[in-house]
Amino acid sequence: FRQTYGLSPLQYVSALRIERAKFLIHDTRLPLAEVARRVGFASPAYFCRQFRQQVGRSPSAYARTVRPADRT
């Protein structure tokens, strides 16, 4: 698996989950804890750690840059 994809199976699945989370953060207004749950993370704190490790910023910081500001 590592020779083909360059990642361990666990790293590959985690990368897929984070990519899906980025999509959900960008295209929905779901709370980040719900995003974490929907992509398969039981712990929002672990999701945040994994997201920061792979993306380079926290999910909330990422959301601030990709979600349009509310105009209320």
Side-chain angles (χ1 to χ4, degrees), residues 22-54:
K22 287 168 61 178
F23 171 81
L24 289 173
I25 291 169
H26 184 269
D27 289 350
T28 69
R29 296 303 243 168
L30 293 171
L32 295 175
E34 179 63 15
V35 170
R37 189 191 66 75
R38 287 192 182 194
V39 299
F41 287 92
S43 165
Y46 183 66
F47 165 70
C48 288
R49 281 194 306 273
Q50 290 296 304
F51 194 97
R52 183 184 299 271
Q53 187 178 45
Q54 291 184 37

Side-chain angles (χ1 to χ4, degrees), residues 8-33:
S8 72
L10 184 61
Q11 290 170 323
Y12 181 80
V13 169
S14 182
L16 289 176
R17 287 177 174 167
I18 296 301
E19 285 304 311
R20 178 69 179 153
K22 287 168 61 178
F23 171 81
L24 289 173
I25 291 169
H26 184 269
D27 289 350
T28 69
R29 296 303 243 168
L30 293 171
L32 295 175

